[in-house]
Amino acid sequence: MRKIRTAFLIVLILVVTLTGCGAEQVSDTADFFAMDTYMRITVYGDGADELTRQAEEEIMRIENVLSFSGDGEIGTINEHGGGTVSEETQELLERALELSRDTGGAFDITIYPVVEAWGFFSGEYRVPGDSELSDLLGLTGWEKVSVVDGQVSFQVPGMGIDLGGIGKGYAGQRVHDMLWEAGISSALLELGGNVCLLGGRPDGTAWRVGIMSPTDGEEYVGILEARDVSIVTSGGYQRYFEEDGVRYHHIIDPATGYPADSGLLSVTIVCDDGARADALSTALFVMGEEEAVSYWAARDDFDFILVTQDGRVVITPGLREDFQISEGYDLEVAA
Ligand code: AMP
Ligand code: MG
């Protein structure tokens, strides 16, 4: 009998924020579970209580629309092999497909049937065979999806969409923009491994965000000072199961159908757009260090913190002033 030991890790806050606010300010906090993770939203300023409630509702709304299952828009498309979507979903799908193209398919929202086969949706984990995986890879490929006038169609029957690699970042950005439009100038949105900062701390100083160690949940690899950006981490440590002593995590290399084994333990992206930060954290984790560095160098409009399997922490030059490495880690700056 096969013994499957599962270690299902939902970490309260994968990137733990170190706050501490001097100024007296009206604030309110909501703690809740959504999109398969624990979330905490803290809003500072007038109207904080009502806006915190609205922010939670907005995340619940987005979860319903984007979930891969159920009767939301994406769940319905997956069940029926296509269908109509709202303008909002169409826009997000178009962005996600563009990010899939731009990352050479390292990020690929059509990975759905493969993620399902590994049991990451149901929690009934299993290791699919090689031939099963190669069959399932035939049902993937972002270029086989078309989205025209709100109509989503797949080239191959059996395909499906998984927005798990971009949904939380998108939701964080939506809430950020909603709060900003309501006149808020300081808020902290912690959505599992995703942090979205609105402005600075209420006293005007930068937020201090701890970047979690992928190997020790009690430690940070370093602390990043930032304001008004999204900070999104993807790592194999965030969700995985073990079978016969081998660890299988939830970030799949679309080229092989197996959990990405690229030499990285975690990838943190710092970017002023939450959805992009989220998609890129997944994509660069799949790419590995070398490809991630060249992807960044060709664009240079986001920053990253890579933690490698051989214990190095590689950051982009843009973070040099703001990132303070913890003792015991080696810092390298990408060029
Ligand atoms: P993240 O935690 O943002 O890296 O996203 C991981 C989640 O995205 C997984 O739980 C899957 O649902 C989905 N996923 C896994 N591999 C990929 C991939 N290569 N591209 C897009 N989504 C993926
Ligand atoms: Mg992601």
Side-chain angles (χ1 to χ4, degrees):
M1 210 180 82
R2 285 191 316 173
K3 186 166 167 277
I4 302 183
R5 188 164 77 82
T6 59
F8 182 59
L9 213 78
I10 308 174
V11 180
L12 178 61
I13 303 158
L14 297 163
V15 183
V16 182
T17 43
L18 309 170
T19 55
C21 121
E24 272 301 310
Q25 264 270 9
V26 189
S27 74
D28 201 15
T29 298
D31 287 292
F32 53 98
F33 191 83
M35 299 182 153
D36 233 9
T37 192
Y38 289 96
M39 300 194 173
R40 167 172 288 181
I41 289 179
T42 308
V43 179
Y44 296 88
D46 290 340
D49 51 351
E50 174 60 17
L51 286 167
T52 308
R53 206 181 49 73
Q54 282 177 23
E56 182 178 343
E57 269 173 18
E58 174 67 355
I59 287 179
M60 297 300 185
R61 183 192 69 78
I62 294 172
E63 175 177 25
N64 282 333
V65 174
L66 302 187
S67 172
F68 60 85
S69 66
D71 52 12
E73 295 189 26
I74 299 299
T76 306
I77 279 177
N78 287 347
E79 195 185 330
H80 299 292
T84 330
V85 290
S86 62
E87 211 174 298
E88 179 187 8
T89 303
Q90 162 152 353
E91 263 173 42
L92 180 60
L93 284 176
E94 281 168 352
R95 287 205 64 198
L97 291 170
E98 168 55 22
L99 283 156
S100 298
R101 188 198 59 75
D102 194 55
T103 58
F107 175 76
D108 191 335
I109 56 170
T110 65
I111 201 67
Y112 175 83
V114 178
V115 176
E116 185 180 43
W118 284 93
F120 283 109
F121 295 136
S122 62
E124 288 162 27
Y125 303 113
R126 57 188 278 276
V127 180
D130 283 343
S131 68
E132 181 184 351
L133 281 177
S134 68
D135 288 350
L136 288 173
L137 286 181
L139 306 179
T140 65
W142 58 271
E143 69 290 351
K144 299 177 193 157
V145 183
S146 85
V147 189
V148 180
D149 295 335
Q151 190 68 32
V152 179
S153 42
F154 299 132
Q155 249 173 48
V156 187
M159 290 182 68
I161 286 172
D162 172 11
L163 293 176
I166 191 171
K168 285 194 295 252
Y170 171 73
Q173 191 64 46
R174 285 286 299 217
V175 169
H176 170 284
D177 296 352
M178 181 190 104
L179 294 172
W180 176 254
E181 277 156 28
I184 294 297
S185 55
S186 176
L188 173 60
L189 317 175
E190 298 163 89
L191 286 61
N194 292 23
V195 171
C196 181
L197 307 173
L198 197 168
R201 293 198 291 181
D203 65 2
T205 58
W207 300 100
R208 288 164 53 77
V209 178
I211 307 301
M212 211 174 113
S213 156
T215 50
D216 182 345
E218 310 272 287
E219 269 190 27
Y220 304 122
V221 295
I223 306 241
L224 181 66
E225 290 202 340
R227 51 178 93 224
D228 217 46
V229 285
S230 285
I231 302 169
V232 177
T233 300
S234 285
Y237 67 94
Q238 291 173 340
R239 179 171 297 186
Y240 61 86
F241 67 97
E242 279 172 19
E243 186 175 308
D244 297 333
V246 183
R247 189 185 275 204
Y248 300 94
H249 64 70
H250 68 137
I251 304 172
I252 305 294
D253 183 345
T256 65
Y258 282 91
D261 184 17
S262 65
L264 295 177
L265 293 179
S266 74
V267 173
T268 301
I269 303 289
V270 183
C271 175
D272 60 9
D273 180 273
R276 181 155 184 252
D278 198 351
L280 291 186
S281 70
T282 310
L284 269 60
F285 185 89
V286 170
M287 288 178 190
E289 179 179 353
E290 203 180 326
E291 213 186 310
V293 170
S294 26
Y295 181 88
W296 160 78
R299 288 159 188 81
D300 199 11
D301 56 357
F302 65 92
D303 284 296
F304 65 58
I305 301 166
L306 312 178
V307 182
T308 69
Q309 266 166 16
D310 55 14
R312 290 170 301 119
V313 179
V314 185
I315 65 169
T316 46
L319 299 182
R320 210 195 303 245
E321 301 288 299
D322 303 319
F323 183 71
Q324 194 193 330
I325 189 107
S326 301
E327 229 172 273
Y329 292 91
D330 290 327
L331 185 66
E332 279 178 27
V333 179

